Amino acid sequence: MYIRKFLLLLSLCFVISGFAQEELLEELGEIAIIDQKVMMPMRDGVRLATDIYRPKGTEAVPVVFSRTPYNFNTWGDGEMRTRTLQQALDWVRKGYAYVVQNERGRYFSEGEWDILGVPLTDGYDAFSWLSRQSWSNGKIGTIGCSSTAEWQMAVASLDHPAHAALIAQGFGAGVGKVGRFNEQGNWYRGGAHQMLFTAWLYGVEHDKFKPRIPAGASQEDLIRISRFYDLAPENPRVDMKEALSHLPLTDLLQNIKGKREIFDKMIIRKPNDPAWRTGGLYHEDMPFNKPGFWFVSWYDVSTGPNLELFNKLRQHPDPAVADSQFLVIAPTLHCRYTRATENTVVGERNLGDARLDYYKLYDKWFEVWLKGGSPDLLDDIPRVQYYTMGLNQWQTSTSWPPEGTQMKRYYLSSNGRANSLYGDGKLIETKPENDPADTYAYDPENPVYSYGGNVCCTGNAVEGGAFDQRKMEARNDILVYTSQPLEEDTEVSGFIEATLFVSSDARDTDFSIKLIDVYPDGTAYNLDETIQRARYRNGYDKEQFMKAGEVYKIEMSPMSTSNYFKKGHRIRIEISSSNFPRFARNLNTGGNNYDETEGVIAINNIHHSAKYPSEIRIPIVQK
């Protein structure tokens, strides 16, 4: 009976969704020319499926363009399809043509898809085609979040004259090497594989034997077919928390009968592989001359490199380019900007009223860059708008980190027993003299599991956001260092830097770190986290293994946050060697890791003394 009720409810949802889409199409039809399944030709002859919604009339209009790997077929069910129609309606009402296109190899688009590897020329060719249309005024603005944003930075480097401005949200998967980060499109952090792409590929990759529309199908045929055949695979549900535990990593998708072609070649690609330079990733040595409005969130997987890219562009040698970069940082999960409410809860932590009028910002941005509106429209948009958690307020700044920020140094200290919440680890302001090292055993068969955090796209494996970490801190393989209660309210906003002095009896291992806000009642909310694979401690172009008994200096990739530590709160960091399954486990052997099935236990040490002063540097805003 319960199954029948569930199926009835599910069917009702589809019916309601279908009604909503038909109503949107009808409303659009009153004000717009709807031109669906336009097969836009690329320079190699591949055609990309494109839906175009433009105002009725003869006036040439600017184009708001979104390119995506996701399904926007308006004759199917689902949030993406309804949202596409709603966005089309909103932009047409404002006097824009709204164009949405599938990447090559996705759904009705021809060709072969490759995550992070779709040719940059596809974007350039699309700009050329759109700017030549009689209904286009020759100005194109790109917009999107996550996979609809990650291609924008690299194609901007080609400097197409019609590409007037971009709005990129949650865009870290489009960043290769930038500043202190070398994540290769979120595939890595500190040289450790981020497992989000494993789960994501299972859900979105199309099989090489997928049904295909015959080459040369007419627009009329495609529109007719799209009403009956969605070309969307229906993947069996998988317990991703269990699935990601499989070894070796190379067989992980095969083990759950997933599509493997892209994953098979990506999982063995190391951080310095030249292939990262052949796809669609933006690297810091590529030119960039476009106005950019950048949207970041505190509990996203890509916060650090996103902020690093903004800062790089703000230092552009051309003042006009530098001055046309703006930033918003929200306290939300990946691409959840507009879902903030008057009581925004992220994980377990209530972050207050985090709403912001995003659509007003979009409107002003494109009014200036696509319609030739007065630049004065941007005068009341702060250079940086960021949400400070704990204070639970939006704040503004002319830079990131905010002006007046000073780094405060805390040293790690203990009597050699910092293991767990019940140990003696401290954060102190003076360099320790003769502290003994803290030691713990990292067993890949029993890793520290990810609990909350700055994640996306891992199915049921990890729930993102802020959670009370005390139950994790009971583990003996987590070192816990906590400051004294703060004597005054303290805003921490910017990049958090850490230098660790480490040793191990293993040839290779990982070191993970987490920043935490500890409330007076002991509640410990995570703010950000990072990891570093020891073999890459001196750069990603070489692997250098550890020797037992030797101490090594490791600079962790920076963490990022804006958090208000109220008087009486304490600053805490956790150190361990795993954060799984956000990051793949290091098996500690010094081998490839991706093709191994057994690991070894590593006895790892964190040193903190006058000779080896492990430390964390916290950005304090002076007001």
Side-chain angles (χ1 to χ4, degrees):
M1 174 174 289
Y2 293 108
I3 294 177
R4 289 175 62 189
K5 287 184 177 180
F6 171 77
L7 292 174
L8 181 61
L9 180 61
L10 188 63
S11 298
L12 182 60
C13 290
F14 286 151
V15 170
I16 292 173
S17 175
F19 280 144
Q21 288 168 255
E22 292 211 8
E23 289 176 2
L24 284 170
L25 274 171
E26 183 177 349
E27 194 170 355
L28 261 171
E30 294 175 359
I31 64 170
I33 296 172
I34 300 174
D35 200 7
Q36 295 180 324
K37 296 296 178 289
V38 175
M39 299 304 286
M40 188 183 294
M42 302 292 102
R43 65 185 62 185
D44 61 357
V46 167
R47 302 183 305 164
L48 305 187
T50 309
D51 286 1
I52 301 171
Y53 307 88
R54 55 189 176 88
K56 290 181 176 178
T58 58
E59 182 180 357
V61 295
V63 176
V64 174
F65 181 44
S66 178
R67 197 180 74 184
T68 179
Y70 297 121
N71 192 3
F72 56 81
N73 181 12
T74 56
W75 298 104
D77 297 305
E79 181 184 357
M80 175 68 182
R81 298 86 177 286
T82 303
R83 186 164 68 243
T84 296
L85 290 175
Q86 185 62 62
Q87 290 170 340
L89 181 61
D90 292 342
W91 286 116
V92 170
R93 281 174 173 167
K94 295 167 186 173
Y96 298 87
Y98 181 70
V99 179
V100 59
Q101 180 180 83
N102 265 141
E103 293 178 354
R104 64 168 56 209
R106 301 294 290 176
Y107 303 100
F108 288 86
S109 285
E110 298 170 349
E112 299 298 327
W113 182 68
D114 187 359
I115 181 178
L116 308 180
V118 175
L120 292 188
T121 53
D122 283 359
Y124 195 95
D125 293 349
F127 296 156
S128 295
W129 189 94
L130 289 167
S131 62
R132 289 196 302 265
Q133 304 309 302
S134 61
W135 44 263
S136 169
N137 76 348
K139 297 289 186 181
I140 300 169
T142 50
I143 189 170
C145 192
S146 190
S147 290
T148 59
E150 65 190 29
W151 65 282
Q152 295 187 50
M153 291 75 69
V155 78
S157 72
L158 302 182
D159 202 24
H160 194 289
H163 190 198
L166 58 90
I167 296 176
Q169 305 159 313
F171 50 92
V175 178
K177 167 71 171 69
V178 57
R180 295 168 287 183
F181 295 89
N182 191 23
E183 298 202 351
Q184 306 297 20
N186 287 344
W187 194 268
Y188 287 104
R189 167 69 62 85
H193 169 51
Q194 301 202 68
M195 299 195 79
L196 73 97
F197 271 130
T198 307
W200 187 79
L201 279 169
Y202 174 78
V204 305
E205 186 177 353
H206 294 180
D207 196 274
K208 64 181 178 181
F209 296 115
K210 67 179 180 179
R212 297 174 184 264
I213 303 300
S218 69
Q219 182 182 14
E220 180 183 4
D221 289 334
L222 292 169
I223 291 175
R224 174 173 49 78
I225 293 168
S226 68
R227 293 171 179 259
F228 306 102
Y229 302 102
D230 209 25
L231 301 184
E234 184 175 339
N235 297 298
R237 293 196 175 188
V238 167
D239 182 348
M240 201 55 70
K241 189 170 187 178
E242 177 182 350
L244 293 177
S245 297
H246 180 80
L247 294 174
L249 292 176
T250 49
D251 293 345
L252 199 155
L253 283 188
Q254 179 182 0
N255 187 56
I256 54 176
K257 299 178 174 59
K259 285 81 66 179
R260 299 168 40 203
E261 289 74 35
I262 292 176
F263 176 80
D264 283 354
K265 69 178 182 180
M266 296 290 286
I267 194 61
I268 63 173
R269 186 187 291 181
K270 295 185 177 182
N272 65 338
D273 194 309
W276 295 113
R277 293 277 178 168
T278 63
L281 292 182
Y282 173 83
H283 297 275
E284 62 187 1
D285 55 357
M286 297 166 68
F288 191 101
N289 299 300
K290 302 298 183 182
F293 210 147
W294 310 95
F295 291 81
V296 181
S297 42
W298 289 130
Y299 285 98
D300 199 354
V301 68
S302 52
T303 306
N306 288 357
L307 296 174
E308 194 90 332
L309 176 59
F310 170 77
N311 281 343
K312 169 184 165 51
L313 297 178
R314 284 286 292 147
Q315 297 165 6
H316 198 284
D318 183 345
V321 176
D323 290 343
S324 61
Q325 311 301 321
F326 290 79
L327 174 68
V328 170
I329 319 173
T332 59
L333 298 172
H334 181 68
C335 291
R336 301 288 183 88
Y337 306 98
T338 59
R339 299 185 189 184
T341 68
E342 59 186 350
N343 289 295
T344 303
V345 178
V346 183
E348 295 176 337
R349 191 182 187 192
N350 191 318
L351 297 176
D353 189 351
R355 292 174 294 182
L356 187 69
D357 193 345
Y358 292 95
Y359 297 104
K360 184 178 180 181
L361 298 175
Y362 306 159
D363 291 348
K364 287 188 174 183
W365 185 252
F366 281 156
E367 178 74 23
V368 171
W369 299 112
L370 302 189
K371 288 187 173 181
S374 170
D376 294 345
L377 288 170
L378 303 181
D379 288 347
D380 61 348
I381 298 179
R383 177 70 58 190
V384 177
Q385 298 174 76
Y386 67 99
Y387 196 86
T388 301
M389 300 177 290
L391 184 64
N392 292 355
Q393 288 182 12
W394 283 100
Q395 301 199 83
T396 64
S397 175
T398 59
S399 64
W400 188 258
E403 55 271 15
T405 299
Q406 297 181 4
M407 300 300 284
K408 183 171 183 177
R409 195 181 308 265
Y410 284 96
Y411 295 97
L412 279 58
S413 178
S414 78
N415 289 318
R417 298 186 301 275
N419 308 74
S420 87
L421 175 64
Y422 310 107
D424 62 1
K426 295 177 291 185
L427 292 177
I428 61 175
E429 297 182 35
T430 56
K431 187 181 296 186
E433 291 297 325
N434 298 304
D435 280 8
D438 288 306
T439 300
Y440 62 96
Y442 159 50
D443 182 357
E445 292 293 323
N446 183 27
V448 173
Y449 281 92
S450 307
Y451 187 55
N454 310 66
V455 301
C456 82
C457 320
T458 54
N460 68 325
V462 186
E463 182 179 359
F467 290 86
D468 187 352
Q469 298 295 306
R470 284 179 291 181
K471 75 174 187 179
M472 303 301 298
E473 293 167 351
R475 294 179 58 124
N476 207 47
D477 55 356
I478 297 178
L479 304 181
V480 178
Y481 302 90
T482 310
S483 73
Q484 290 295 313
L486 298 173
E487 297 180 355
E488 59 184 7
D489 295 344
T490 302
E491 180 185 334
V492 173
S493 293
F495 293 105
I496 298 90
E497 303 168 346
T499 302
L500 302 181
F501 289 89
V502 306
S503 62
S504 176
D505 66 351
R507 295 186 70 226
D508 185 45
T509 191
D510 291 346
F511 292 94
S512 60
I513 192 169
K514 190 177 293 185
L515 177 69
I516 293 169
D517 181 354
V518 182
Y519 283 50
D521 67 358
T523 302
Y525 285 129
N526 52 299
L527 299 172
D528 199 3
E529 59 205 12
T530 192
I531 197 167
Q532 181 63 47
R533 185 146 293 182
R535 70 174 70 181
Y536 295 120
R537 64 190 178 277
N538 293 321
Y540 299 99
D541 58 338
K542 53 186 171 296
E543 299 181 39
Q544 296 180 327
F545 296 101
M546 306 172 78
K547 296 180 180 179
E550 291 195 13
V551 178
Y552 301 94
K553 181 179 180 180
I554 289 184
E555 298 288 350
M556 305 293 288
S557 60
M559 297 177 284
S560 305
T561 197
S562 178
N563 188 73
Y564 199 73
F565 290 81
K566 293 182 180 179
K567 180 180 178 180
H569 285 223
R570 291 176 290 164
I571 299 172
R572 172 176 292 166
I573 65 166
E574 295 175 7
I575 295 175
S576 191
S577 288
S578 52
N579 183 346
F580 175 79
R582 178 179 175 184
F583 304 106
R585 293 164 288 178
N586 194 325
L587 300 182
N588 300 329
T589 65
N592 288 327
N593 209 66
Y594 55 73
D595 58 2
E596 298 176 288
T597 58
E598 295 183 2
V600 297
I601 295 175
I603 305 302
N604 293 337
N605 309 284
I606 303 296
H607 299 261
H608 39 78
S609 62
K611 184 177 181 180
Y612 301 120
S614 292
E615 64 181 35
I616 184 168
R617 297 175 293 280
I618 306 286
I620 308 294
V621 180
Q622 308 292 326
K623 292 186 176 180

